Amino acid sequence: MNRHIQLYDTTLRDGTQREGISLSLDDKLKIAARLDAFGMDYIEGGWPGSNPKDVEFFRRAPSLGLGHARLAAFGSTRRKNTRPADDANIQALLGAETPVVTLVGKSWELHVVDVLETTAAENLAMIEDSVAYCREQGKEVIYDAEHFFDGYKANPEYAISTLEAAARGGAVCVVLCDTNGGSLPWEVEEATARVAGRLGAPVGIHTHDDAGCGVANSLAAIRAGAVQVQGTINGYGERVANANLCTIIPDLQLKMGYDCVSPERLAGLTDLSRYVAELANLTHDDHLPYVGASAFAHKGGIHVAAMLKHAASYQHLDPAIVGNQQRSVVSELSGRGNLIDKVNQFHLNPESLDIPKVLEQIKQLEAQGFTFEGAEASVELMLRRTHPAYVPPFEMTDYSVMVQRRRGRGSIVEATVKVRVGPKIMHTVAEGNGPVNALDAALRQALIGVFPQLSGVRLADYKVRILDGENNTAATTRVLIESRQGARRWSTVGASPNIIDASWRALADSMEYALVAGN
Ligand SMILES: [Zn+2]
C-alpha cells in the first residue's frame, strides 16, 4: 500500500482571495459537497472571525452531511498579552463548531517584531497557548506556519522553535507555508527535510505560485517527508495563484506513486475542476495541466497521424485516468489524420465522405480568417455536406438589418430574413437589442414553425475577433458562436469583412447543426 498523502482543500478560504471571485453562500455549500464527494480529507470552509457569510456557512454546513472530509475553520492565534478564552477571534473559531480548527501564526521575526509589535518569546507563547486551548475544547488542531520559509531563511532556529511550540500545544499537523510564494523547490525540499527530521509532529505544505513554483514546491515538500498538501481547485488564490490541487493530485498519485484518492474518484477530477470554475463564474482555462480542454488536444498533422497508430506516442498519460479526453484539432495545419479522427468522433462513415475536399476547404477558409479549432460543429457540417445524399434542412437566402437611433427613443434594431425550407419560403421580421440578436431572433422565428425542436436552442456565447487589416485593406471579422440545448453545446464559426455577415454564417451553421447532428 502506497503512503497516503492528506489532501487539504482551501478553495473556499484562500481560493476566494483571488481577485474577481465572489462565491455566494449557496455556491460555497455546493462546492464543499463536491470536494467531499471527490475525496478531499479536509475542507477549509472559511474564516468565521472575518465575515458573516463564513459564520453562516459553518452554521449550515452540518446539513451537507459530509461523508469523508473533515471540515476546518480557519483563524489566527490569540492576540498578544491576552488569554485564548478572552480572544474574540478564537471564540468565533470555536463557535463554527467544526471538528477541525486551523490556526495560523507567525514564524518570521520580521512579522513578530514589526507587524505584531511583540517579542519573540510572547509569539511562541501565543502559538502554544492557542493550540493547547483549542485542543482542550476538543478540536483537532492544524497549525499553519505563515511565512515559514522566509522566516527560516532569516533565522532557522527561531522559525523551527515556532513549529515546536505548536507541536507542544498538541497540533496534529504543522504546515509550512510559503505565504509570499517566492521560494524555490530546492529551498523548500531542504527546509522541509530538516523540519520533518526534527519535529515529532507530522508536517504539511501550503504554497503559492508567485515564482511559478507552487506545484513544484508542494511536490518537493512531499518528497522531503511532508504528509499533508494544501491547495485549491484550479489554483484559485490570492495574487497569482495557490498551488493547484488539480495538478498536484495526479502528479503525486500517477507520477510519484503516493495514494491520494481512489482511481474512480481521480476520474472525476476534470469534472470537479470545471464545476468549480462554473460556480466561480470564471472561464475554465483550456490550458490547465491534466484537466484543461487542450491538455490532450493534438493539432499538428504529424502528431495526429502518430497518435492514431499509438496513443502513447504524443501524450504523457491516458486522459481518461483524470476524466479528460483526447481530441484532435482541425486547422490548416491538419493532415488527413485529423479529419479521419473527427469522422470517427462524429460517428460518420468515412467511405461516403470527401475528406480531401474538406481539407482543401478548411485551408482556403482559414486563409480568409475562419478558424476551425474552436468550431467543431462547423467542421462536422462541412464533412456531412460532402455526402452525396446530404440535403440541407433549410437555405437562408436574404437578410437585412436596420439600426436606427432616434431622439427620445434610443436605438432600434430590426432584422428581416428570408429562409427556404423545401418549397416553402419564410419571411420574418424581429427586433433585438443588437443586430446579431435581432438576426438570431428573426431566423429562429422563421424556422421554428417547421422545426419545433429548435425551441430549446440558446445562444450561449458570442465572441468577436477583429483580424488585422494589413496593407490598408478592410479588417476581417471572425465570429465564434457557442449554442446550447439542454446539456448539449456546440460551436460554429463565420468570417467576413462585415461583422453581420460573419455572424449570419455562424448562426446559420448553428441552426443547421442543431437539426442534423448529434441527435
Ligand atoms: Zn495561502
Side-chain angles (χ1 to χ4, degrees):
M1 182 79 185
N2 295 328
R3 180 152 70 95
H4 178 71
I5 300 298
Q6 294 172 358
L7 302 176
Y8 184 109
D9 182 281
T10 179
T11 306
L12 300 177
R13 203 268 309 168
D14 232 357
T16 60
Q17 313 250 27
R18 173 180 160 133
E19 197 174 1
I21 284 192
S22 172
L23 295 173
S24 70
L25 178 58
D26 271 344
D27 292 339
K28 291 189 74 164
L29 290 163
K30 282 183 192 157
I31 291 173
R34 279 296 285 260
L35 294 170
D36 176 53
F38 177 76
M40 295 296 176
D41 298 299
Y42 294 93
I43 298 171
E44 192 173 85
W47 188 335
S50 77
N51 67 79
K53 194 201 284 174
D54 284 359
V55 172
E56 188 58 19
F57 170 84
F58 288 113
R59 207 183 60 74
R60 286 182 47 190
S63 68
L64 294 172
L66 298 184
H68 170 80
R70 291 169 70 72
L71 197 61
F74 179 90
S76 59
T77 53
R78 72 161 169 81
R79 258 181 269 226
K80 61 186 175 186
N81 312 320
T82 58
R83 296 184 314 141
D86 302 329
D87 188 291
N89 202 351
I90 289 194
Q91 293 311 313
L93 202 50
L94 297 173
E97 298 190 346
T98 52
V100 183
V101 153
T102 299
L103 284 168
V104 60
K106 302 289 189 190
S107 349
W108 188 6
E109 277 180 301
L110 177 146
H111 269 264
V112 175
V113 176
D114 294 346
V115 180
L116 293 183
E117 298 179 343
T118 187
T119 63
E122 171 63 3
N123 180 52
L124 296 180
M126 286 158 65
I127 295 168
E128 183 174 345
D129 289 0
S130 305
V131 174
Y133 176 75
C134 292
R135 286 281 293 154
E136 283 160 22
Q137 308 302 310
K139 303 296 178 184
E140 176 180 338
V141 182
I142 291 175
Y143 178 70
D144 273 11
E146 195 181 28
H147 301 293
F148 173 77
F149 296 96
D150 297 310
Y152 181 85
K153 276 176 221 167
N155 182 345
E157 280 312 309
Y158 183 70
I160 292 176
S161 71
T162 66
L163 307 179
E164 287 168 340
R168 276 196 308 275
V172 293
C173 186
V174 172
V175 182
L176 313 181
C177 301
D178 188 27
T179 310
N180 294 356
S183 298
L184 298 172
W186 42 93
E187 296 166 351
V188 170
E189 189 161 5
E190 186 272 322
T192 307
R194 181 147 165 219
V195 169
R198 244 178 82 169
L199 208 68
V203 174
I205 181 73
H206 174 120
T207 66
H208 284 256
D209 203 34
D210 298 73
C213 294
V215 168
N217 285 344
S218 299
L219 303 183
I222 299 290
R223 245 162 74 95
V227 297
Q228 177 182 110
V229 62
Q230 301 194 347
T232 63
I233 299 301
N234 301 332
Y236 295 154
E238 219 159 347
R239 304 183 306 277
V240 175
N242 269 67
N244 184 355
L245 284 177
C246 295
T247 310
I248 291 174
I249 294 168
D251 277 347
L252 289 177
Q253 189 148 325
L254 304 172
K255 310 271 179 185
M256 293 169 73
Y258 294 105
D259 165 62
C260 298
V261 291
S262 69
E264 296 74 39
R265 284 171 159 174
L266 190 59
L269 187 68
T270 300
D271 273 353
L272 173 67
S273 163
R274 292 201 180 124
Y275 181 79
V276 173
E278 187 77 29
L279 290 194
N281 201 20
L282 293 170
T283 307
H284 190 248
D285 183 354
D286 286 348
H287 303 280
L288 284 174
Y290 294 104
V291 295
S294 300
F296 301 95
H298 303 278
K299 181 167 167 181
I302 295 172
H303 286 209
V304 174
M307 293 281 305
L308 288 172
K309 291 180 189 152
H310 202 304
S313 59
Y314 278 98
Q315 60 192 18
H316 68 115
L317 59 85
D318 175 2
I321 295 172
V322 291
N324 206 340
Q325 57 186 9
Q326 182 204 316
R327 293 191 302 124
S328 60
V329 175
V330 171
S331 78
E332 60 194 347
L333 302 180
S334 305
R336 212 180 129 74
N338 298 52
L339 274 181
I340 300 268
D341 196 47
K342 284 289 163 213
V343 167
N344 294 336
Q345 184 193 324
F346 301 147
H347 306 292
L348 302 175
N349 175 11
E351 303 299 304
S352 52
L353 303 175
D354 189 347
I355 289 171
K357 183 176 165 193
V358 174
L359 211 49
E360 192 47 42
Q361 271 179 351
I362 286 173
K363 284 178 191 183
Q364 278 176 9
L365 289 169
E366 291 219 344
Q368 291 170 28
F370 282 72
T371 179
F372 291 96
E373 285 182 23
E376 303 211 328
S378 289
V379 174
E380 183 170 342
L381 286 174
M382 285 163 80
L383 286 164
R384 284 176 182 271
R385 286 176 192 138
T386 65
H387 193 287
Y390 186 78
V391 181
F394 61 88
E395 192 191 339
M396 315 217 315
T397 56
D398 304 319
Y399 74 81
S400 76
V401 176
M402 182 199 75
V403 182
Q404 283 186 335
R405 188 169 181 91
R406 289 184 193 148
R407 186 187 292 270
R409 269 198 70 190
S411 62
I412 303 159
V413 185
E414 198 179 83
T416 309
V417 305
K418 220 186 255 182
V419 178
R420 194 152 58 81
V421 181
K424 272 166 83 180
I425 304 256
M426 258 75 69
H427 194 173
T428 52
V429 185
E431 287 189 6
N433 55 23
V436 177
N437 180 246
L439 206 53
D440 178 49
L443 178 59
R444 210 173 281 272
Q445 209 172 301
L447 294 174
I448 221 147
V450 196
F451 304 113
Q453 65 269 42
L454 290 177
S455 66
V457 176
R458 297 276 174 275
L459 210 63
D461 198 7
Y462 175 79
K463 284 193 201 108
V464 177
R465 177 105 193 256
I466 312 292
L467 307 170
D468 85 284
E470 273 178 41
N471 316 323
N472 297 325
T473 55
T476 296
T477 303
R478 176 196 297 153
V479 169
L480 273 167
I481 285 181
E482 189 176 305
S483 307
R484 74 183 152 86
Q485 186 172 31
R488 200 176 154 218
R489 280 176 175 260
W490 63 96
S491 298
T492 52
V493 63
S496 161
N498 173 333
I499 185 170
I500 310 278
D501 213 53
S503 307
W504 169 253
R505 297 183 71 161
L507 276 174
D509 267 13
S510 168
M511 298 291 170
E512 185 172 341
Y513 182 85
L515 290 171
V516 305
N519 288 318

